[in-house]
Amino acid sequence: MEEISLRELIEIIIKGKWIIVAVTAVCIAIGIAVNAFVIKPVYVAQTTLMISSIKKSQIKEQVKSGDGDVNNFSSLIDAILQYPEMSVDNYREQVKNPVILEYIREEMDMKDVPLSSIASKITLNEIKDTDLITIKVTDENPETAAKIANLVGDRFAKLVCETNQKRTESTLEFIENQMKKEKENMEKSLEEYKSYLLQSRGPEEVKMELDAKLEKMTEYKTQLSQIKIDENATKASLDTAKNLINKTPQKLVTDSSLLTNPLLSAVIKEKTGISSEELASMKMSTEQINIIYVELSNIINELEIRLSNLEAQRINIEKVIQECQKEIENLQTEYAEKQQEYEILKKELDLSKEVYNAYQQKYKESMIMQSAETGRSSAVIVSEAIPPANPVAPKKALNVAVAGVVGVGISFAIIFIKEYLIRSKQ
């Protein structure tokens, strides 16, 4: 394939300059004619609305100032009652609601115009960092565009207000019904709680009895410890006394001369005629009960009696402790069961109160919203549309410029095709 240099290209363009001028001029003329006679001018009318409402945080602050802290169920109920927030996309769809479109068609006497055609004329946009939205309507007639824009803005504002008002009323009705149910649940739980407290043996009474038994058990164990100490001391004393009595003679024997007893020696001399020397050689043994032995015997008897009494006391106190321990175990079981039942009823009552208070809180918030008529003031027309003086389309200068560019492109194509055909014949 034959290559063409840059110089040759420039020469070809210069040679076909009149073709470029002619074709471009024709395209520009066609563009001007189309702007003037074919493309109809389009006008855009715009109305501005302000979308506003009382924020939930502000309502909660008002309620807090009169009722204290918002309870823990508020966030849960907020989630239950929360409506989806109206974003720009939501408003953009709502502005083309069939109710609004039908209203426009009737007011503008456009019965033969389909709703989709009317919807295509309407666009909605937001103004950044503000609560303002703009509704734009495009039409070939500036008066019609302005009128439709005002009708759409007015009807859309009413629709938003009515929707918000219905939401508030619906929320209030729902909360009222829930409050009735929760009040019934709370009253039922309260009756069960009172009935439980009025029964013969409540957890507090069982707890007092259990504490008394535990205190008594402590006394019994203290007594048992003292008895065992006394018993061991008595056993030790008894063993000591027995060891002593085993070493102590029961009777005391005394050997003495008969002369030591003058009366007896005189009688013997008188009866037998024995001399004093013979009596002096004769011995007499006397036995006497050992007082120490007797005392030791008495002490042993007393210690044995005391030890027997202590053993009997220990056995009795041990039986009492066993019985008391069983009673304590039964009371502990009864107390645990009653305390668990009490806590369940108490928790149910507290939960019912919290839920009821939460709904009561939301009811106050809804009442504030209703009394403030937030639904009626949530959408306000800030500025109405006026018939535009200048059309937004067609953009004549741009169209002519595009036509010129197209003409240049076509002329270049003609020049190069012509040159190609000439060279191919050579």
Side-chain angles (χ1 to χ4, degrees):
M1 184 177 179
E2 184 180 357
E3 295 183 357
I4 300 175
S5 65
L6 179 60
R7 182 177 179 179
E8 290 176 329
L9 286 175
I10 295 172
E11 290 176 353
I12 292 170
I13 292 172
I14 293 172
K15 187 169 61 175
K17 60 184 178 180
W18 295 112
I19 295 175
I20 295 172
V21 172
V23 173
T24 304
V26 170
C27 289
I28 290 173
I30 292 172
I32 293 172
V34 168
N35 281 336
F37 303 106
V38 178
I39 301 176
K40 295 182 180 180
V42 176
Y43 296 87
V44 175
Q46 173 181 301
T47 183
T48 305
L49 282 76
M50 182 173 66
I51 307 297
S52 62
S53 62
I54 296 178
K55 296 181 179 179
K56 288 183 179 180
S57 59
Q58 295 174 342
I59 296 172
K60 287 184 178 181
E61 288 300 325
Q62 295 180 35
V63 177
K64 276 185 181 182
S65 62
D67 251 4
D69 294 335
V70 179
N71 63 54
N72 296 330
F73 287 88
S74 292
S75 57
L76 177 60
I77 297 175
D78 277 337
I80 295 173
L81 300 178
Q82 186 175 12
Y83 290 98
E85 293 184 3
M86 293 297 288
S87 63
V88 175
D89 292 332
N90 291 333
Y91 285 128
R92 189 173 288 117
E93 292 301 320
Q94 284 294 319
V95 81
K96 297 181 181 181
N97 190 301
V99 175
I100 296 176
L101 297 178
E102 188 64 41
Y103 171 76
I104 298 303
R105 185 161 64 176
E106 291 179 1
E107 291 294 323
M108 296 298 296
D109 194 19
M110 304 167 66
K111 295 181 181 179
D112 297 332
V113 180
L115 295 180
S116 58
S117 178
I118 299 174
S120 65
K121 297 175 179 289
I122 304 169
T123 57
L124 183 144
N125 295 299
E126 68 171 333
I127 300 176
K128 191 176 180 180
D129 298 328
T130 68
D131 292 330
L132 302 177
I133 60 173
T134 60
I135 297 175
K136 296 180 179 180
V137 176
T138 58
D139 196 87
E140 296 173 0
N141 188 319
E143 299 291 337
T144 302
K147 188 173 181 180
I148 292 175
N150 288 328
L151 289 173
V152 171
D154 182 65
R155 190 66 185 89
F156 177 70
K158 290 180 179 178
L159 181 64
V160 172
C161 295
E162 290 170 1
T163 302
N164 290 340
Q165 189 67 20
K166 286 179 181 178
R167 285 180 180 178
T168 303
E169 292 173 358
S170 176
T171 300
L172 195 60
E173 183 179 357
F174 173 78
I175 293 175
E176 284 179 341
N177 293 332
Q178 290 301 120
M179 280 180 61
K180 290 179 182 178
K181 293 179 181 179
E182 294 304 329
K183 187 175 182 180
E184 291 175 359
N185 292 337
M186 184 178 66
E187 290 174 350
K188 182 180 177 182
S189 299
L190 183 60
E191 288 299 323
E192 292 177 355
Y193 180 73
K194 287 181 178 179
S195 176
Y196 181 78
L197 293 179
L198 292 175
Q199 65 181 1
S200 57
R201 283 171 63 84
E204 291 299 325
E205 184 178 351
V206 176
K207 183 66 166 57
M208 291 175 63
E209 187 175 347
L210 177 61
D211 292 340
K213 286 291 182 182
L214 290 172
E215 187 176 352
K216 205 70 177 173
M217 172 67 84
T218 303
E219 294 178 2
Y220 290 150
K221 288 184 177 180
T222 303
Q223 292 178 13
L224 180 62
S225 299
Q226 187 61 45
I227 289 172
K228 286 182 178 180
I229 292 172
D230 294 344
E231 187 178 5
N232 291 332
T234 302
K235 284 181 179 179
S237 299
L238 182 61
D239 291 340
T240 302
K242 285 182 177 180
N243 290 332
L244 288 174
I245 202 171
N246 289 333
K247 296 177 182 179
T248 303
Q250 187 175 5
K251 295 180 180 180
L252 295 175
V253 178
T254 305
D255 293 330
S256 60
S257 175
L258 289 176
L259 292 177
T260 58
N261 190 335
L263 180 61
L264 182 60
S265 61
V267 172
I268 292 173
K269 283 180 180 182
E270 184 181 349
K271 297 291 184 183
T272 59
I274 298 174
S275 63
S276 298
E277 289 79 5
E278 290 177 338
L279 285 173
S281 62
M282 295 179 66
K283 300 293 182 181
M284 179 181 65
S285 296
T286 59
E287 290 184 353
Q288 293 179 345
I289 296 174
N290 193 342
I291 296 175
I292 296 174
Y293 183 87
V294 173
E295 290 295 329
L296 287 173
S297 296
N298 292 334
I299 290 171
I300 289 172
N301 289 334
E302 290 177 358
L303 290 174
E304 287 178 345
I305 292 171
R306 183 179 179 185
L307 182 61
S308 178
N309 290 333
L310 289 172
E311 288 177 349
Q313 290 179 16
R314 178 174 55 79
I315 293 171
N316 289 334
I317 201 73
E318 286 176 348
K319 289 181 180 179
V320 170
I321 288 174
Q322 289 178 355
E323 293 174 357
C324 187
Q325 184 63 39
K326 290 180 180 179
E327 291 178 358
I328 288 173
E329 291 174 357
N330 293 333
L331 287 172
Q332 287 175 334
T333 303
E334 183 181 1
Y335 174 70
E337 292 174 353
K338 289 185 177 295
Q339 185 65 21
Q340 183 180 13
E341 187 178 357
Y342 169 80
E343 289 177 355
I344 291 173
L345 291 174
K346 186 69 167 59
K347 285 182 179 179
E348 289 179 355
L349 178 60
D350 292 341
L351 183 62
S352 298
K353 287 181 178 179
E354 289 179 7
V355 174
Y356 176 76
N357 290 336
Y359 275 111
Q360 195 173 40
Q361 187 86 11
K362 297 308 297 179
Y363 182 77
K364 291 180 180 180
E365 293 177 14
S366 299
M367 287 294 291
I368 292 173
M369 291 181 68
Q370 190 179 46
S371 62
E373 297 185 344
T374 55
R376 295 188 179 92
S377 60
S378 55
V380 179
I381 297 175
V382 176
S383 65
E384 295 185 350
I386 58 175
N390 300 314
V392 295
K395 298 185 182 298
K396 296 181 179 181
L398 178 61
N399 291 342
V400 171
V402 171
V405 172
V406 172
V408 172
I410 293 173
S411 61
F412 273 38
I414 292 172
I415 292 170
F416 286 117
I417 292 171
K418 181 181 177 182
E419 184 66 23
Y420 173 75
L421 292 174
I422 293 171
R423 291 193 178 193
S424 61
K425 289 180 181 181
Q426 293 177 355

